[in-house]
Amino acid sequence: MGDTMAQCLSPCLAECKCGPGYATPLDAVRNGPVEKLLYVVCVQPNLDEEHGDYLATVDVDPASGTYCEIIHRTYTNSKRNELHHSGWNTCSSCHFVPGDKQVPTRDRLVLPCLNSDRIFVIDTGTDPRAPKLAKVIEGDVLKGANCTAPHTTHCLPNGNIMISVMGDAEGNAKGDFVEFDKNFELVGTWSRGDRKALCGYDYWYQPHFNVMVASEWGAPKLFRRGYHPTDCDDRTQYGCRLNFYRWQERELFQTIDLGDDGLTPLEIRFLHNPKENQGYVGCAFYANVYRFYQKPGTSEYTAEKVIDVPVKKVQADNGEIEMMGGMMTDILISLDDRYLYFSNWRHGDVRQYDITDRAHPRLTGQVFLGGAIQSDAPRRVVNDPELSEPPKPVYLKNRRLLGGPQMLQLSLDGRRLYVSSSLFSPWDKQFYPEMVAAGGTIVQLDIDVENGGMKLNENFLVDFGNEPYGPGLPHEMRYPGGDCTSDIWLVNE
C-alpha cells in the first residue's frame, strides 16, 4: 500500500487525493487485486423472451464454493436490446483529484444497446455480487441528438461519460459521440466543427498528446440485419478508416484510409503508458493489425500494417470455394504494454504477440478454441498458408466449445486471459447457429508472462447453456475494479 500511495501523491505534489483506479498502469499490475468477480454482458437470443438481455455476475475465485458459476443476473426486462459493450462511470483517468473536489466512485456500469439504442446504468457499488438496475436512458434520448447504435463507453477526466455512436436517427452510418453528465443526463454531442467521420465504432483518448482516435464499423441499418459480404462495397456506410481528433478542440483533424486490408477497423488500443503516442487497431474483415503513431516532428499520424493473418481457402460440401478471413473481433494490450492479444472468430484461434519492438510484433502464443475450420467442420480447408492440418475440436469438462473465440479480458497481472464466444446475436445465428442453440461459454487461458505462451485452463468453464430463460450469449467482460480495456491513464506531473 505504501508504494501505491507514493505513486499517488508524487505526481500531484501531495496536493491531490486518490480517486478510483490506479495511479499508473504498472501500479495496477503490481498492486491490483486478483479478480474474484466477472461482470459479463449477455444477450438473450430469443427475441420474444420478456426478461431480455442481462448482466451476469460470475464467481472467478478458485477458493470459492461457487467458482465458475453465475451467482447473479441483472435483467433488462425488455426485448430486442442487444447489449454489447460496457464501460464505467469513472476510471483511472479520474484517479488524481486535485484540491477540494469530491473524489468520484466507480460504482456504475454503463450498458449501451446496439439495437434499441437504450442505455442501461447498473449499480455495482451497493452490492458488487448482486448489481441492480439504477437507470434506463431510452433510445429516444439519443435519437433526439440524431444518434443511434451506441457502442464504446469511457469516462472523461472531468467525470462525465462519453459514448461513441455508429448511426444517425435513420440508421445510416455516422461517426460521433454523445456526452452525459455524472447523473447520466445528456449534455449533447461531443465533436465540433464541420468535418465529420463517415462511420463510428470504438475510441481511445490521450490528453497528453491532445488526441483521440476512433475506428469504424458500419451503418446500423446494415449490420443489424446480418452479415452481407457486399455491404462493405459502399465505403460511406462501411468503415476502413481511423479518425483522429484534437482532444481540447474536439475537432476531427485527420483521417487515415486503411484501404481494403484495413476493412472494418474495430477495437482500438493506445498503449497504456500515457507518454507513448502510439497504439494498435484490429481490422476484422481480413484479420490484420495496424500500428498507428505520430510522425516525428509533425502533428500528423500514420498507420502501418504489422500483423497479417492469411486467408484460408475452404470448400463447402456443395463444392463452393470460399476465401475465409479470420474475422479478428477483439484485441487488447497487457497493462505493461508488452503483449498484444487478439481473437480470430472465424478461424478459431487466440494469439499472443510480444510487442516490445512496437513496429515488429512477434508471435509467442496461439490456442485454438473452436472456429469454422476444425477437422470436422462442414467446410474443408483446401489451402492453408499457416497450418499443416486443421485444428481438432476442443472439449472442456465434457462440453464442446462451439462458435469461436470472441471478446477478451486480461487479468491486471497479465496471467489470466478470459475468452467469451458471442460476437453479435444476428451474426452468431448466421455463422454459428449451433453455439446459439447450446449457449455460449467463457474459458480461461493461463499466460506465461515471462517467456510468452498460453495454454487452456482445463479447470475453468462458464457454461451459459442452462440459463433460467434459455441459453445465453456472453459477450464483453469487466472486473469491478477496472481492467486493461476500460481504464485510461493521464500524465500527472
Side-chain angles (χ1 to χ4, degrees):
M1 187 66 183
D3 289 344
T4 305
M5 186 58 66
Q7 291 182 54
C8 174
L9 293 179
S10 58
C12 289
L13 301 178
E15 295 177 356
C16 71
K17 302 180 287 293
C18 290
Y22 306 91
T24 66
L26 291 182
D27 175 25
V29 174
R30 296 165 182 162
N31 300 305
V34 174
E35 67 282 358
K36 293 185 177 182
L37 295 177
L38 195 63
Y39 295 139
V40 184
V41 171
C42 297
V43 171
Q44 167 58 259
N46 179 359
L47 301 182
D48 294 322
E49 210 296 306
E50 294 184 353
H51 293 83
D53 302 346
Y54 55 101
L55 181 73
T57 304
V58 178
D59 187 337
V60 294
D61 180 2
S64 171
T66 53
Y67 181 53
C68 290
E69 294 182 15
I70 302 166
I71 58 174
H72 188 267
R73 299 165 184 85
T74 310
Y75 291 99
T76 58
N77 291 314
S78 54
K79 302 177 184 178
R80 303 171 187 264
N81 285 306
E82 192 72 32
L83 294 179
H84 195 63
H85 281 208
S86 61
W88 291 105
N89 62 319
T90 185
C91 79
S92 292
S93 68
C94 300
H95 183 71
F96 296 104
V97 184
D100 295 327
K101 289 187 177 181
Q102 183 178 356
V103 176
T105 303
R106 192 200 309 254
D107 61 357
R108 295 292 187 271
L109 189 60
V110 184
L111 309 181
C113 301
L114 287 190
N115 285 348
S116 70
D117 308 313
R118 292 187 178 104
I119 300 169
F120 292 88
V121 182
I122 307 296
D123 173 8
T124 62
T126 302
D127 184 353
R129 295 178 65 86
K132 59 184 180 181
L133 185 61
K135 184 172 184 175
V136 180
I137 302 170
E138 292 294 340
D140 289 344
V141 174
L142 263 64
K143 289 190 174 89
N146 193 28
C147 294
T148 55
H151 186 268
T152 296
T153 303
H154 282 301
C155 82
L156 303 182
N158 66 2
N160 283 2
I161 299 100
M162 190 162 81
I163 305 175
S164 61
V165 299
M166 292 183 282
D168 65 14
E170 303 302 319
N172 302 301
K174 177 184 181 181
D176 210 339
F177 312 88
V178 289
E179 184 176 355
F180 291 86
D181 66 18
K182 300 176 183 64
N183 298 314
F184 297 97
E185 297 296 328
L186 181 66
V187 175
T189 53
W190 178 86
S191 58
R192 299 169 180 162
D194 296 331
R195 190 172 176 181
K196 303 295 182 183
L198 292 174
C199 302
Y201 187 71
D202 195 19
Y203 76 98
W204 200 280
Y205 62 81
Q206 285 289 16
H208 184 64
F209 299 102
N210 196 32
V211 69
M212 182 179 83
V213 59
S215 59
E216 299 184 333
W217 183 9
K221 67 180 182 182
L222 297 181
F223 65 69
R224 283 172 174 169
R225 59 170 166 66
Y227 171 77
H228 291 201
T230 56
D231 284 346
C232 60
D233 292 345
D234 183 353
R235 300 296 169 84
T236 69
Q237 297 300 303
Y238 234 72
C240 61
R241 294 159 294 263
L242 298 182
N243 296 294
F244 294 84
Y245 295 79
R246 291 189 178 91
W247 179 248
Q248 292 295 334
E249 295 81 359
R250 303 187 179 190
E251 291 181 347
L252 176 63
F253 73 92
Q254 184 185 358
T255 295
I256 298 177
D257 191 324
L258 301 176
D260 290 345
D261 279 359
L263 269 174
T264 52
L266 298 184
E267 311 306 329
I268 196 155
R269 314 293 186 200
F270 257 106
L271 292 176
H272 296 289
N273 181 350
K275 293 184 178 181
E276 286 219 43
N277 193 2
Q278 59 180 313
Y280 301 87
V281 62
C283 301
F285 200 88
Y286 288 115
N288 296 320
V289 175
Y290 280 75
R291 170 183 171 243
F292 60 88
Y293 59 97
Q294 192 173 34
K295 296 179 183 178
T298 77
S299 62
E300 296 293 301
Y301 285 78
T302 189
E304 60 184 6
K305 184 170 62 173
V306 292
I307 300 174
D308 188 335
V309 177
V311 298
K312 302 179 189 297
K313 185 177 182 180
V314 300
Q315 185 176 33
D317 290 341
N318 62 5
E320 182 178 345
I321 296 293
E322 174 189 353
M323 302 304 294
M324 182 188 292
M327 197 173 285
M328 184 187 298
T329 50
D330 195 17
I331 72 168
L332 60 76
I333 299 173
S334 61
L335 285 174
D336 60 4
D337 290 332
R338 179 177 176 184
Y339 293 110
L340 180 147
Y341 299 85
F342 66 76
S343 56
N344 286 316
W345 193 59
R346 290 288 280 150
H347 287 176
D349 58 320
V350 175
R351 302 193 188 197
Q352 176 199 58
Y353 284 79
D354 187 316
I355 55 171
T356 305
D357 181 346
R358 307 299 189 205
H360 302 96
R362 179 172 59 89
L363 181 64
T364 49
Q366 183 179 26
V367 175
F368 279 87
L369 301 170
I373 61 163
Q374 297 173 88
S375 56
D376 62 349
R379 294 176 176 85
R380 181 174 59 89
V381 178
V382 294
N383 183 271
D384 191 329
E386 295 183 301
L387 303 176
S388 58
E389 60 182 20
K392 294 179 172 57
V394 179
Y395 290 86
L396 193 58
K397 294 189 172 183
N398 298 316
R399 168 75 142 89
R400 178 170 177 167
L401 298 186
L402 300 170
Q406 213 289 283
M407 291 304 293
L408 308 174
Q409 192 54 264
L410 187 66
S411 61
L412 298 181
D413 61 11
R415 297 181 181 275
R416 294 165 300 284
L417 182 69
Y418 297 90
V419 187
S420 65
S421 60
S422 169
L423 171 59
F424 175 56
S425 66
W427 292 31
D428 291 344
K429 293 172 182 178
Q430 185 175 350
F431 287 103
Y432 293 119
E434 68 282 0
M435 187 268 290
V436 176
T441 54
I442 297 175
V443 300
Q444 183 189 96
L445 302 182
D446 294 328
I447 307 299
D448 184 340
V449 297
E450 286 80 20
N451 307 303
M454 308 183 294
K455 65 177 181 179
L456 182 64
N457 183 340
E458 300 287 346
N459 296 314
F460 186 98
L461 175 68
V462 185
D463 189 342
F464 290 80
N466 296 307
E467 290 294 86
Y469 302 105
L473 300 175
H475 187 63
E476 194 181 51
M477 301 160 283
R478 296 270 182 233
Y479 311 128
D483 47 68
C484 65
T485 58
S486 67
D487 279 37
I488 294 176
W489 278 265
L490 306 184
V491 175
N492 288 277
E493 293 180 346

